[in-house]
Amino acid sequence: MAANATVEDYMTRDVATVSPDDTVAEVARRIVESEGHTGFPVTDGRHVEGFISARDLLKSDDNARVFTVMSDDLVVAHPDMKINDAARVILRSGIQKLPVVDDAGNLVGIISNTDVIRSQIERATPEKVDKLMHTLEDIHDIEVTEERRQIDLANLTPTQSRVYADELQGRSYELEHGLAEPLVVIDNGGQLLLADGHHRVMAANRLDIEDMDAYVIVVDEADELELGMQRTAEKEGLDSIDDIDVVDYARHPLIETTERLQERDR
């Protein structure tokens, strides 16, 4: 979907707004009490009048009315706008959120930089899946199918023996903000082999997340394969994600190589 996705596909429809007659102090309190809000569209009824940001509030008197300090030079998106076009506006303008308005100027949603990132992730993952499917079909002369499932992490067989501690921090952030890619899993006769997403799985495990969204490549039981990644898992004793080692950042191959080069140049 993401290749031809529109703003409407990714926008948030339930939008928190403020009134032009609210005071700066009232809006500041709402920002403090909210989760992640840095500003609000200003609406009169459903019609968008402006946008007020935390920055606007900081330089204003507590008793000032919103309509006197809000920005009315609005950049907005339309529901039918391509998500890639919205991404360009957000990235080039530095605006974190765009109000989404219909042809009458009424607020119908809001699109954020987080939504844009999520749309790009959802486009990238299917490309990985397609390549892996074609590789399996070409090498083994079979046909495989694709499904979208919620996968219980306890049922996964890892195919990678270690992950790096520094990357887990980034993956944890992505999970907490809804930015993590779906996993890529091969269902080989009922055995769920984790093909892509080991860092995401380990980060999820640390956050007590028990299941995750996944693209599942299904091998028909009649065509059950002996895959190289499966042999690797067996050789290294990988039965579950508990068998994956977390390696300290200092032992990452890139860091080790850099240190060797530095020592050589001394």
Side-chain angles (χ1 to χ4, degrees):
M1 179 183 69
N4 297 306
T6 64
V7 165
E8 187 173 18
D9 295 323
Y10 286 93
M11 70 183 188
T12 299
R13 288 174 169 76
D14 185 15
V15 185
T17 64
V18 297
S19 165
D21 293 323
D22 287 341
T23 66
V24 164
E26 290 169 338
V27 177
R29 184 174 63 253
R30 286 187 59 186
I31 287 179
V32 170
E33 293 174 351
S34 71
E35 295 184 3
H37 281 292
T38 57
F40 298 98
V42 182
T43 58
D44 183 3
R46 290 182 57 210
H47 195 271
V48 179
E49 302 290 332
F51 193 92
I52 188 159
S53 67
R55 184 176 181 179
D56 297 325
L57 300 175
L58 287 172
K59 57 187 181 182
S60 305
D61 183 80
D62 282 353
N63 295 320
R65 299 292 174 179
V66 166
F67 73 87
T68 67
V69 298
M70 70 183 186
S71 172
D72 55 11
D73 185 16
L74 275 181
V75 179
V76 298
H78 188 276
D80 295 336
M81 189 178 191
K82 297 292 185 185
I83 193 70
N84 286 344
D85 292 334
R88 292 187 186 95
V89 173
I90 287 174
L91 294 174
R92 291 174 182 174
S93 67
I95 297 170
Q96 292 187 343
K97 296 181 179 180
L98 294 178
V100 183
V101 301
D102 62 17
D103 294 334
N106 293 322
L107 184 71
V108 294
I110 198 161
I111 187 88
S112 70
N113 50 4
T114 300
D115 298 323
V116 166
I117 293 170
R118 183 164 54 89
S119 75
Q120 301 308 305
I121 287 171
E122 291 187 4
R123 180 170 63 182
T125 307
E127 292 176 359
K128 294 180 186 177
V129 175
D130 286 343
K131 287 180 181 178
L132 182 52
M133 289 178 67
H134 291 148
T135 299
L136 290 172
E137 290 176 334
D138 290 345
I139 292 176
H140 299 283
D141 193 26
I142 60 169
E143 290 187 6
V144 297
T145 56
E146 174 199 329
E147 298 177 2
R148 193 77 176 261
R149 300 185 202 163
Q150 286 294 120
I151 296 294
D152 187 338
L153 303 188
N155 293 333
L156 286 172
T157 299
T159 59
Q160 178 177 316
S161 61
R162 63 182 182 175
V163 296
Y164 296 101
D166 62 306
E167 290 191 37
L168 290 183
Q169 295 178 9
R171 298 299 180 264
S172 295
Y173 177 88
E174 292 170 358
L175 285 165
E176 290 169 338
H177 292 79
L179 295 175
E181 294 181 57
L183 307 176
V184 179
V185 173
I186 299 175
D187 183 344
N188 188 24
Q191 183 177 17
L192 300 179
L193 298 165
L194 180 58
D196 183 75
H198 287 76
H199 282 88
R200 275 163 275 157
V201 163
M202 292 299 285
N205 192 45
R206 288 186 170 189
L207 295 171
D208 294 324
I209 296 171
E210 296 181 351
D211 53 69
M212 293 182 70
D213 186 26
Y215 287 95
V216 181
I217 299 171
V218 182
V219 179
D220 190 276
E221 290 189 11
D223 295 322
E224 187 175 342
L225 305 174
E226 185 180 359
L227 300 173
M229 64 177 66
Q230 197 166 359
R231 290 194 296 271
T232 299
E234 292 171 357
K235 181 180 178 181
E236 300 195 20
L238 300 175
D239 294 318
S240 74
I241 60 174
D242 293 333
D243 297 319
I244 301 174
D245 291 328
V246 178
V247 181
D248 184 77
Y249 177 68
R251 292 170 58 195
H252 193 292
L254 178 60
I255 300 302
E256 291 177 348
T257 302
T258 303
E259 288 177 347
R260 285 198 300 270
L261 290 173
Q262 290 173 338
E263 289 171 0
R264 188 185 69 185
D265 292 338
R266 284 173 187 164

